[in-house]
Amino acid sequence: MILILAYTQMFALDKESTLKIYTKILSSIFPTKKQINVYVPNREYYDILKSSNKLNVVDDIKKASIAIVTNLKELQSVKKLNKDIEIFATNEKLLFQDQSIVGAFYWKKGRSQLLFIKNRLDRYHIKLSDEYDKFIIEL
Amino acid sequence: MKYRYINKYILILFVVLIAFVGYLQYSVMQNTAKLKAQEIAKTKEYATKIVQYIKTKIPDNLDKSLENTNLRDELNIILSTFMTEKYKYIFLLDKKNDKYYRFLLDGSTNNPEEFHSIFLPRSKLYDEVYKTQKIKLIKQKDDVENVWLSILAPVVYDGKTEALLVLDLSKKYGDYIENFNSPISNLVRLIQIFLLVSLLILSILFYRYYKFRKKILVDKVTQAYTKLSLEEFFVKRKVQNEYIFMIDIDSFRVVNTKYGYKVGNKILKEFVECIKNSIDDSKKMIFKIGGGEFVVIVPQKDKSLNDKANELFNRLKDKKYYIGDDKISLSISMSGMKIYDEMSLYKVLNILDEKLLEVKSRGKNSYAIIAEKDKESILYKDIDFIKQHLEDGQFTCLYQPIYDTRTKQIVKYEALVRMQDNDKCISPYYFLDVIRGTTQYIKMSKLVFQDIFATLKKYPHIHISANMHLDDLYSSDMMSMIIEQLFYHKEYAPRLTFEILEDKNIFDYNRVNEIFMHLKAYGSKIAIDDFGSGYANFNYLIKLDVDIIKIDGGLIKELKTQPHKSIKVLKSVKKLANELGCEVIAEFVSDEEIYNHMVEIGIEYSQGFYLGEPKFIQEYLD
């Protein structure tokens, strides 16, 4: 199962906060994994996430459990390399554009937004804890 | 401003300053809070107006109507016009289901949200406003960027909430409001820092002052208080009616010389300890005012002054001091009194000192107390009391007649100064020594001479004797005053005799003779008072140009005890004086027997209570 995380508004967070948020989100997606292999084509996020102890940023997409993309080009590239990889998007447009993206974290009117699409989570057998219920919608 | 109040004033000033700064800070906070409240109220009003506008544009079916792109675009443009610098975002949301909200309108011109795009609010207030239909305010925290606070206004149609208008006030504007009063806040902060630093400095100064005070107020050797402390005690004294004792270790210098200062200090320490132990009162105060001189202040309780003095004196007298193999006791002299209200330290110490001298002159190692009945005499020795009476002209002269011994007719009056206190005439015994050598003394002498010349003027046939001290002759101020008086009253001067009193030897007879010449130049006469006593000796008769000899009262008194010898002495004085061309006056003629002796010896003039007491001149002449 592949989850793609997409983001567009990095300015909203500093490095430490970004790392903290993404570690928490990815840990909730993979609650049993001690270490999560992440594929991040974006250079800026690559540098941020690689400093995590919990996340293991990999260069080989085949070894990754999840991929994080920030735009359409990255999404297409990821899907080309591994069409089955779990996709999660932080960019709202990407989230609704591609059926394989199960969630996203992004900023709207200065407020952070975390959104998961229920049927896509189900498709990938992702079971989030109860605290994420309010972020899960059905389309 | 009295020095003793300065500390209080400084403290009050600080309290006022702190209160003022506190008030300033409170005012600034209040003002900022008021500004915020006003801004919130305005924003709420603004939000309500926008809602009303939307409702005017879309009277019903909001969601459906907004599906019309043209209408939506038009309203988005209008919303954007509502966005002034204060506002970061203005947008309209509706609630899709219980889960999330959707954008209906967005006033942002930069990256506006798409119609029906999803919005997940963190705050539960969105749902609350939707439900209660009441406008609410959310104060945003750091998790919402660039927004200070948000106003949530419900858009209600027919009692049903159709949408929520969100009006975000920018963080920049929030900071502006928050910092609106910052110049005053900064000033207040600066004053606070200044006050804090000042308080710190004051605390340090106070601590140093306290240490310094302790050093100067407490005697290092004996741990008794110092004289400075005694002065302070009198200024700040709250307890009244204490007993005060002045204790002097007689010839303490001898102890120091014989045994050394180290032993002397040890004895002083033990001496103070003995005073402490002798008085069973925690409020007692012991002051060291000299090498071996102490002042003890004890509150009055059940014991009388005499009992207390007796107890203290005996304990101190009986105390033994061990110096090596030697055992010594100290001879002490002590005076004591009750401190009366409004008595200055100067006054108290003066009285005690005088009494102490009296004790010492009686042979030391004893004590004396100033009794209640002496209170008045204490008062008459008070310099302030005398000064006040001088200023009020409350001084007068009594006149004692001097008789021609043979004819028993009054030939002269001796002017005797008195201070008037209501109906009482106070003897110079009390006040003369207090003011001698001061300007008050000259002031008093001037009053005396004015009285004498007025009397001479009023009664043209009488003669008057005025007393002058030998020291007065040496005082240029005094002599200027006397010469001036003689000059202005020169027609009366020939009826005036100056009786010169003295208590020490004359060293410069030429100078004295010169002064006598000055006085005699106006026709006045010179008499030597107390002839035959200590200093008034035969030398005077040889070296001074005197007209009258006034025999010392002591010699006259001897007529009662040793009449034969006395008569011989008096006769020889009389003979000698007459041969030198001087007349003789005998004073202290207190009874008929003495008077008869004067007649027998042939003394020309007599004066005394037997012949006439000092009275106001009118009583003799009117």
Side-chain angles (χ1 to χ4, degrees), chain A residues 54-116:
Chain A
K54 177 83 178 174
L55 306 178
N56 182 31
V57 182
V58 292
D59 295 327
D60 184 359
I61 197 165
K62 285 174 185 164
K63 289 177 185 170
S65 307
I66 188 167
I68 299 168
V69 291
T70 64
N71 52 41
L72 188 61
K73 198 179 166 188
E74 283 173 13
L75 174 68
Q76 286 168 346
S77 140
V78 164
K79 285 189 84 172
K80 200 174 175 182
L81 290 167
N82 186 349
K83 63 180 172 60
D84 295 324
I85 196 165
E86 290 181 19
I87 306 169
F88 188 85
T90 56
N91 184 318
E92 191 188 11
K93 273 187 185 169
L94 287 179
L95 177 68
F96 292 107
Q97 200 173 320
D98 195 292
Q99 292 293 314
S100 53
I101 299 172
V102 292
F105 176 77
Y106 53 93
W107 293 84
K108 197 173 251 189
K109 300 292 171 207
R111 293 135 171 110
S112 60
Q113 302 279 302
L114 177 63
L115 205 60
F116 291 98

Side-chain angles (χ1 to χ4, degrees), chain B residues 318-332:
Chain B
D318 296 341
K319 162 89 178 150
K320 304 287 180 220
Y321 301 88
Y322 294 91
I323 307 159
D325 295 334
D326 286 355
K327 185 169 80 174
I328 64 160
S329 52
L330 297 173
S331 161
I332 61 159

Side-chain angles (χ1 to χ4, degrees), chain B residues 287-329:
Chain B
F287 303 90
K288 185 170 179 279
I289 60 166
E293 214 172 355
F294 296 87
V295 162
V296 180
I297 296 174
V298 190
Q300 275 190 53
K301 278 191 178 164
D302 45 347
K303 282 184 182 163
S304 70
L305 172 63
N306 197 39
D307 288 348
K308 204 101 185 172
N310 190 44
E311 189 184 318
L312 180 61
F313 178 77
N314 285 327
R315 287 284 291 271
L316 294 174
K317 193 184 72 175
D318 296 341
K319 162 89 178 150
K320 304 287 180 220
Y321 301 88
Y322 294 91
I323 307 159
D325 295 334
D326 286 355
K327 185 169 80 174
I328 64 160
S329 52

